[in-house]
PDB file of all heavy atoms in Angstrom:
ATOM      1  N   GLU A 454       0.815  -1.207  -0.008  1.00  0.00           N
ATOM      2  CA  GLU A 454       0.043   0.010   0.001  1.00  0.00           C
ATOM      3  C   GLU A 454       0.849   1.256   0.001  1.00  0.00           C
ATOM      4  O   GLU A 454       0.596   2.163  -0.775  1.00  0.00           O
ATOM      5  CB  GLU A 454      -0.937  -0.010   1.255  1.00  0.00           C
ATOM      6  CG  GLU A 454      -1.894   1.159   1.286  1.00  0.00           C
ATOM      7  CD  GLU A 454      -2.895   1.086   2.383  1.00  0.00           C
ATOM      8  OE1 GLU A 454      -2.977   0.028   3.060  1.00  0.00           O
ATOM      9  OE2 GLU A 454      -3.601   2.090   2.599  1.00  0.00           O
ATOM     10  N   LYS A 455       1.833   1.278   0.836  1.00  0.00           N
ATOM     11  CA  LYS A 455       2.743   2.466   0.946  1.00  0.00           C
ATOM     12  C   LYS A 455       3.438   2.781  -0.368  1.00  0.00           C
ATOM     13  O   LYS A 455       3.559   3.951  -0.752  1.00  0.00           O
ATOM     14  CB  LYS A 455       3.801   2.229   2.046  1.00  0.00           C
ATOM     15  CG  LYS A 455       4.782   3.373   2.158  1.00  0.00           C
ATOM     16  CD  LYS A 455       5.834   3.021   3.237  1.00  0.00           C
ATOM     17  CE  LYS A 455       6.895   4.141   3.292  1.00  0.00           C
ATOM     18  NZ  LYS A 455       7.923   3.797   4.276  1.00  0.00           N
ATOM     19  N   ASN A 456       3.895   1.760  -1.048  1.00  0.00           N
ATOM     20  CA  ASN A 456       4.665   1.966  -2.310  1.00  0.00           C
ATOM     21  C   ASN A 456       3.879   1.866  -3.603  1.00  0.00           C
ATOM     22  O   ASN A 456       4.433   2.018  -4.661  1.00  0.00           O
ATOM     23  CB  ASN A 456       5.841   0.928  -2.306  1.00  0.00           C
ATOM     24  CG  ASN A 456       6.778   1.145  -1.175  1.00  0.00           C
ATOM     25  OD1 ASN A 456       7.421   2.169  -1.044  1.00  0.00           O
ATOM     26  ND2 ASN A 456       6.901   0.125  -0.314  1.00  0.00           N
ATOM     27  N   ASN A 457       2.612   1.647  -3.422  1.00  0.00           N
ATOM     28  CA  ASN A 457       1.697   1.543  -4.636  1.00  0.00           C
ATOM     29  C   ASN A 457       2.133   0.428  -5.516  1.00  0.00           C
ATOM     30  O   ASN A 457       2.127   0.503  -6.726  1.00  0.00           O
ATOM     31  CB  ASN A 457       1.646   2.868  -5.394  1.00  0.00           C
ATOM     32  CG  ASN A 457       0.337   3.026  -6.171  1.00  0.00           C
ATOM     33  OD1 ASN A 457      -0.747   2.715  -5.670  1.00  0.00           O
ATOM     34  ND2 ASN A 457       0.369   3.459  -7.347  1.00  0.00           N
ATOM     35  N   TRP A 458       2.587  -0.684  -4.913  1.00  0.00           N
ATOM     36  CA  TRP A 458       2.937  -1.887  -5.643  1.00  0.00           C
ATOM     37  C   TRP A 458       1.702  -2.694  -5.898  1.00  0.00           C
ATOM     38  O   TRP A 458       0.850  -2.809  -5.072  1.00  0.00           O
ATOM     39  CB  TRP A 458       3.917  -2.756  -4.861  1.00  0.00           C
ATOM     40  CG  TRP A 458       5.326  -2.165  -4.669  1.00  0.00           C
ATOM     41  CD1 TRP A 458       5.915  -1.185  -5.392  1.00  0.00           C
ATOM     42  CD2 TRP A 458       6.208  -2.523  -3.606  1.00  0.00           C
ATOM     43  NE1 TRP A 458       7.158  -0.907  -4.898  1.00  0.00           N
ATOM     44  CE2 TRP A 458       7.373  -1.708  -3.785  1.00  0.00           C
ATOM     45  CE3 TRP A 458       6.173  -3.381  -2.533  1.00  0.00           C
ATOM     46  CZ2 TRP A 458       8.453  -1.774  -2.932  1.00  0.00           C
ATOM     47  CZ3 TRP A 458       7.277  -3.453  -1.694  1.00  0.00           C
ATOM     48  CH2 TRP A 458       8.402  -2.665  -1.919  1.00  0.00           C
ATOM     49  N   THR A 459       1.651  -3.336  -7.086  1.00  0.00           N
ATOM     50  CA  THR A 459       0.591  -4.235  -7.431  1.00  0.00           C
ATOM     51  C   THR A 459       1.052  -5.675  -7.163  1.00  0.00           C
ATOM     52  O   THR A 459       2.133  -6.058  -7.669  1.00  0.00           O
ATOM     53  CB  THR A 459       0.186  -4.124  -8.914  1.00  0.00           C
ATOM     54  OG1 THR A 459      -0.237  -2.786  -9.185  1.00  0.00           O
ATOM     55  CG2 THR A 459      -0.904  -5.085  -9.305  1.00  0.00           C
ATOM     56  N   PRO A 460       0.360  -6.444  -6.340  1.00  0.00           N
ATOM     57  CA  PRO A 460       0.786  -7.804  -6.117  1.00  0.00           C
ATOM     58  C   PRO A 460       0.810  -8.576  -7.428  1.00  0.00           C
ATOM     59  O   PRO A 460      -0.129  -8.509  -8.230  1.00  0.00           O
ATOM     60  CB  PRO A 460      -0.330  -8.376  -5.175  1.00  0.00           C
ATOM     61  CG  PRO A 460      -0.943  -7.195  -4.565  1.00  0.00           C
ATOM     62  CD  PRO A 460      -0.905  -6.106  -5.599  1.00  0.00           C
ATOM     63  N   ALA A 461       1.860  -9.353  -7.683  1.00  0.00           N
ATOM     64  CA  ALA A 461       1.977 -10.075  -8.911  1.00  0.00           C
ATOM     65  C   ALA A 461       2.721 -11.412  -8.689  1.00  0.00           C
ATOM     66  O   ALA A 461       3.680 -11.770  -9.292  1.00  0.00           O
ATOM     67  CB  ALA A 461       2.742  -9.265  -9.967  1.00  0.00           C
ATOM     68  N   VAL A 462       2.169 -12.154  -7.697  1.00  0.00           N
ATOM     69  CA  VAL A 462       2.852 -13.325  -7.169  1.00  0.00           C
ATOM     70  C   VAL A 462       2.795 -14.460  -8.179  1.00  0.00           C
ATOM     71  O   VAL A 462       1.769 -14.829  -8.717  1.00  0.00           O
ATOM     72  CB  VAL A 462       2.246 -13.793  -5.825  1.00  0.00           C
ATOM     73  CG1 VAL A 462       2.974 -15.023  -5.295  1.00  0.00           C
ATOM     74  CG2 VAL A 462       2.321 -12.602  -4.813  1.00  0.00           C
ATOM     75  N   LEU A 463       3.965 -15.023  -8.510  1.00  0.00           N
ATOM     76  CA  LEU A 463       4.074 -16.152  -9.446  1.00  0.00           C
ATOM     77  C   LEU A 463       5.324 -16.942  -8.942  1.00  0.00           C
ATOM     78  O   LEU A 463       6.409 -16.413  -8.869  1.00  0.00           O
ATOM     79  CB  LEU A 463       4.285 -15.681 -10.832  1.00  0.00           C
ATOM     80  CG  LEU A 463       4.319 -16.727 -11.972  1.00  0.00           C
ATOM     81  CD1 LEU A 463       2.948 -17.366 -12.084  1.00  0.00           C
ATOM     82  CD2 LEU A 463       4.732 -16.098 -13.231  1.00  0.00           C
ATOM     83  N   ALA A 464       5.118 -18.174  -8.664  1.00  0.00           N
ATOM     84  CA  ALA A 464       6.224 -19.007  -8.100  1.00  0.00           C
ATOM     85  C   ALA A 464       6.411 -20.306  -8.851  1.00  0.00           C
ATOM     86  O   ALA A 464       5.590 -20.666  -9.732  1.00  0.00           O
ATOM     87  CB  ALA A 464       5.971 -19.333  -6.624  1.00  0.00           C
ATOM     88  N   GLY A 465       7.505 -20.994  -8.555  1.00  0.00           N
ATOM     89  CA  GLY A 465       7.774 -22.303  -9.153  1.00  0.00           C
ATOM     90  C   GLY A 465       8.149 -22.191 -10.614  1.00  0.00           C
ATOM     91  O   GLY A 465       8.589 -21.181 -11.085  1.00  0.00           O
ATOM     92  N   PRO A 466       7.972 -23.324 -11.326  1.00  0.00           N
ATOM     93  CA  PRO A 466       8.367 -23.353 -12.743  1.00  0.00           C
ATOM     94  C   PRO A 466       7.640 -22.317 -13.581  1.00  0.00           C
ATOM     95  O   PRO A 466       8.249 -21.799 -14.594  1.00  0.00           O
ATOM     96  CB  PRO A 466       7.886 -24.739 -13.194  1.00  0.00           C
ATOM     97  CG  PRO A 466       7.864 -25.585 -11.937  1.00  0.00           C
ATOM     98  CD  PRO A 466       7.440 -24.646 -10.873  1.00  0.00           C
ATOM     99  N   ALA A 467       6.475 -21.868 -13.199  1.00  0.00           N
ATOM    100  CA  ALA A 467       5.751 -20.833 -13.932  1.00  0.00           C
ATOM    101  C   ALA A 467       6.563 -19.520 -13.948  1.00  0.00           C
ATOM    102  O   ALA A 467       6.538 -18.795 -14.947  1.00  0.00           O
ATOM    103  CB  ALA A 467       4.375 -20.594 -13.332  1.00  0.00           C
ATOM    104  N   PHE A 468       7.192 -19.221 -12.801  1.00  0.00           N
ATOM    105  CA  PHE A 468       8.046 -18.027 -12.754  1.00  0.00           C
ATOM    106  C   PHE A 468       9.239 -18.107 -13.633  1.00  0.00           C
ATOM    107  O   PHE A 468       9.574 -17.153 -14.328  1.00  0.00           O
ATOM    108  CB  PHE A 468       8.431 -17.751 -11.265  1.00  0.00           C
ATOM    109  CG  PHE A 468       9.389 -16.546 -11.159  1.00  0.00           C
ATOM    110  CD1 PHE A 468       9.003 -15.335 -11.666  1.00  0.00           C
ATOM    111  CD2 PHE A 468      10.560 -16.659 -10.462  1.00  0.00           C
ATOM    112  CE1 PHE A 468       9.869 -14.236 -11.550  1.00  0.00           C
ATOM    113  CE2 PHE A 468      11.437 -15.590 -10.305  1.00  0.00           C
ATOM    114  CZ  PHE A 468      11.065 -14.343 -10.851  1.00  0.00           C
ATOM    115  N   GLY A 469       9.875 -19.246 -13.650  1.00  0.00           N
ATOM    116  CA  GLY A 469      11.045 -19.506 -14.534  1.00  0.00           C
ATOM    117  C   GLY A 469      10.644 -19.270 -15.992  1.00  0.00           C
ATOM    118  O   GLY A 469      11.393 -18.653 -16.764  1.00  0.00           O
ATOM    119  N   LYS A 470       9.508 -19.789 -16.393  1.00  0.00           N
ATOM    120  CA  LYS A 470       9.024 -19.690 -17.754  1.00  0.00           C
ATOM    121  C   LYS A 470       8.677 -18.177 -18.055  1.00  0.00           C
ATOM    122  O   LYS A 470       9.026 -17.696 -19.166  1.00  0.00           O
ATOM    123  CB  LYS A 470       7.777 -20.528 -18.015  1.00  0.00           C
ATOM    124  CG  LYS A 470       7.277 -20.469 -19.482  1.00  0.00           C
ATOM    125  CD  LYS A 470       6.041 -21.337 -19.706  1.00  0.00           C
ATOM    126  CE  LYS A 470       5.683 -21.335 -21.155  1.00  0.00           C
ATOM    127  NZ  LYS A 470       5.427 -19.968 -21.675  1.00  0.00           N
ATOM    128  N   PHE A 471       8.076 -17.516 -17.045  1.00  0.00           N
ATOM    129  CA  PHE A 471       7.769 -16.086 -17.235  1.00  0.00           C
ATOM    130  C   PHE A 471       9.010 -15.298 -17.514  1.00  0.00           C
ATOM    131  O   PHE A 471       9.071 -14.432 -18.437  1.00  0.00           O
ATOM    132  CB  PHE A 471       7.102 -15.554 -15.985  1.00  0.00           C
ATOM    133  CG  PHE A 471       7.016 -14.043 -15.926  1.00  0.00           C
ATOM    134  CD1 PHE A 471       6.066 -13.387 -16.617  1.00  0.00           C
ATOM    135  CD2 PHE A 471       7.963 -13.317 -15.172  1.00  0.00           C
ATOM    136  CE1 PHE A 471       6.026 -11.935 -16.590  1.00  0.00           C
ATOM    137  CE2 PHE A 471       7.960 -11.952 -15.158  1.00  0.00           C
ATOM    138  CZ  PHE A 471       6.948 -11.241 -15.881  1.00  0.00           C
ATOM    139  N   VAL A 472      10.084 -15.537 -16.786  1.00  0.00           N
ATOM    140  CA  VAL A 472      11.356 -14.806 -16.992  1.00  0.00           C
ATOM    141  C   VAL A 472      11.920 -15.031 -18.398  1.00  0.00           C
ATOM    142  O   VAL A 472      12.331 -14.119 -19.058  1.00  0.00           O
ATOM    143  CB  VAL A 472      12.398 -15.212 -15.887  1.00  0.00           C
ATOM    144  CG1 VAL A 472      13.749 -14.540 -16.205  1.00  0.00           C
ATOM    145  CG2 VAL A 472      11.943 -14.735 -14.489  1.00  0.00           C
ATOM    146  N   ASP A 473      11.849 -16.302 -18.816  1.00  0.00           N
ATOM    147  CA  ASP A 473      12.355 -16.603 -20.165  1.00  0.00           C
ATOM    148  C   ASP A 473      11.558 -15.887 -21.226  1.00  0.00           C
ATOM    149  O   ASP A 473      12.057 -15.314 -22.163  1.00  0.00           O
ATOM    150  CB  ASP A 473      12.278 -18.099 -20.449  1.00  0.00           C
ATOM    151  CG  ASP A 473      13.285 -18.913 -19.611  1.00  0.00           C
ATOM    152  OD1 ASP A 473      14.229 -18.355 -19.108  1.00  0.00           O
ATOM    153  OD2 ASP A 473      13.069 -20.153 -19.446  1.00  0.00           O
ATOM    154  N   ASP A 474      10.183 -15.904 -21.112  1.00  0.00           N
ATOM    155  CA  ASP A 474       9.323 -15.250 -22.062  1.00  0.00           C
ATOM    156  C   ASP A 474       9.487 -13.713 -21.992  1.00  0.00           C
ATOM    157  O   ASP A 474       9.517 -13.015 -23.035  1.00  0.00           O
ATOM    158  CB  ASP A 474       7.893 -15.577 -21.761  1.00  0.00           C
ATOM    159  CG  ASP A 474       7.547 -17.030 -22.014  1.00  0.00           C
ATOM    160  OD1 ASP A 474       8.347 -17.735 -22.714  1.00  0.00           O
ATOM    161  OD2 ASP A 474       6.494 -17.505 -21.566  1.00  0.00           O
ATOM    162  N   GLU A 475       9.673 -13.189 -20.794  1.00  0.00           N
ATOM    163  CA  GLU A 475       9.868 -11.729 -20.638  1.00  0.00           C
ATOM    164  C   GLU A 475      11.158 -11.275 -21.253  1.00  0.00           C
ATOM    165  O   GLU A 475      11.191 -10.211 -21.838  1.00  0.00           O
ATOM    166  CB  GLU A 475       9.807 -11.431 -19.078  1.00  0.00           C
ATOM    167  CG  GLU A 475       9.826  -9.919 -18.790  1.00  0.00           C
ATOM    168  CD  GLU A 475       8.531  -9.200 -19.045  1.00  0.00           C
ATOM    169  OE1 GLU A 475       7.562  -9.884 -19.521  1.00  0.00           O
ATOM    170  OE2 GLU A 475       8.453  -8.011 -18.715  1.00  0.00           O
ATOM    171  N   PHE A 476      12.208 -12.124 -21.117  1.00  0.00           N
ATOM    172  CA  PHE A 476      13.467 -11.785 -21.710  1.00  0.00           C
ATOM    173  C   PHE A 476      13.310 -11.635 -23.224  1.00  0.00           C
ATOM    174  O   PHE A 476      13.856 -10.638 -23.830  1.00  0.00           O
ATOM    175  CB  PHE A 476      14.537 -12.864 -21.375  1.00  0.00           C
ATOM    176  CG  PHE A 476      15.914 -12.525 -21.713  1.00  0.00           C
ATOM    177  CD1 PHE A 476      16.703 -11.867 -20.833  1.00  0.00           C
ATOM    178  CD2 PHE A 476      16.463 -12.817 -22.972  1.00  0.00           C
ATOM    179  CE1 PHE A 476      18.023 -11.536 -21.087  1.00  0.00           C
ATOM    180  CE2 PHE A 476      17.765 -12.492 -23.278  1.00  0.00           C
ATOM    181  CZ  PHE A 476      18.552 -11.876 -22.330  1.00  0.00           C
ATOM    182  N   ALA A 477      12.652 -12.578 -23.860  1.00  0.00           N
ATOM    183  CA  ALA A 477      12.488 -12.515 -25.321  1.00  0.00           C
ATOM    184  C   ALA A 477      11.627 -11.341 -25.716  1.00  0.00           C
ATOM    185  O   ALA A 477      11.941 -10.634 -26.722  1.00  0.00           O
ATOM    186  CB  ALA A 477      11.806 -13.809 -25.785  1.00  0.00           C
ATOM    187  N   SER A 478      10.577 -11.053 -24.944  1.00  0.00           N
ATOM    188  CA  SER A 478       9.664  -9.951 -25.279  1.00  0.00           C
ATOM    189  C   SER A 478      10.364  -8.606 -25.115  1.00  0.00           C
ATOM    190  O   SER A 478      10.234  -7.716 -25.927  1.00  0.00           O
ATOM    191  CB  SER A 478       8.443 -10.002 -24.370  1.00  0.00           C
ATOM    192  OG  SER A 478       7.622  -8.879 -24.530  1.00  0.00           O
ATOM    193  N   LEU A 479      11.138  -8.471 -24.000  1.00  0.00           N
ATOM    194  CA  LEU A 479      11.872  -7.236 -23.729  1.00  0.00           C
ATOM    195  C   LEU A 479      12.916  -6.985 -24.786  1.00  0.00           C
ATOM    196  O   LEU A 479      13.063  -5.845 -25.285  1.00  0.00           O
ATOM    197  CB  LEU A 479      12.507  -7.333 -22.344  1.00  0.00           C
ATOM    198  CG  LEU A 479      12.894  -6.018 -21.723  1.00  0.00           C
ATOM    199  CD1 LEU A 479      11.762  -5.093 -21.528  1.00  0.00           C
ATOM    200  CD2 LEU A 479      13.554  -6.282 -20.320  1.00  0.00           C
ATOM    201  N   ARG A 480      13.589  -8.016 -25.217  1.00  0.00           N
ATOM    202  CA  ARG A 480      14.614  -7.828 -26.255  1.00  0.00           C
ATOM    203  C   ARG A 480      13.952  -7.371 -27.554  1.00  0.00           C
ATOM    204  O   ARG A 480      14.462  -6.462 -28.235  1.00  0.00           O
ATOM    205  CB  ARG A 480      15.350  -9.179 -26.533  1.00  0.00           C
ATOM    206  CG  ARG A 480      16.454  -9.042 -27.588  1.00  0.00           C
ATOM    207  CD  ARG A 480      17.215 -10.342 -27.751  1.00  0.00           C
ATOM    208  NE  ARG A 480      18.173 -10.165 -28.850  1.00  0.00           N
ATOM    209  CZ  ARG A 480      19.349  -9.572 -28.714  1.00  0.00           C
ATOM    210  NH1 ARG A 480      19.714  -9.092 -27.489  1.00  0.00           N
ATOM    211  NH2 ARG A 480      20.184  -9.379 -29.712  1.00  0.00           N
TER     212      ARG A 480
END
């Protein structure tokens, strides 16, 4: 609340896949 962060919890293999996909999209 203080920092106006949006919760975006993702754990396990799904997080690893997200990082890989995000890397490709960001590039």
Side-chain angles (χ1 to χ4, degrees):
E454 185 174 350
K455 176 183 177 182
N456 297 298
N457 207 42
W458 292 337
T459 301
V462 182
L463 186 66
F468 176 53
K470 183 180 184 302
F471 165 81
V472 173
D473 291 341
D474 292 346
E475 186 77 357
F476 190 90
S478 174
L479 199 58
R480 181 177 178 81

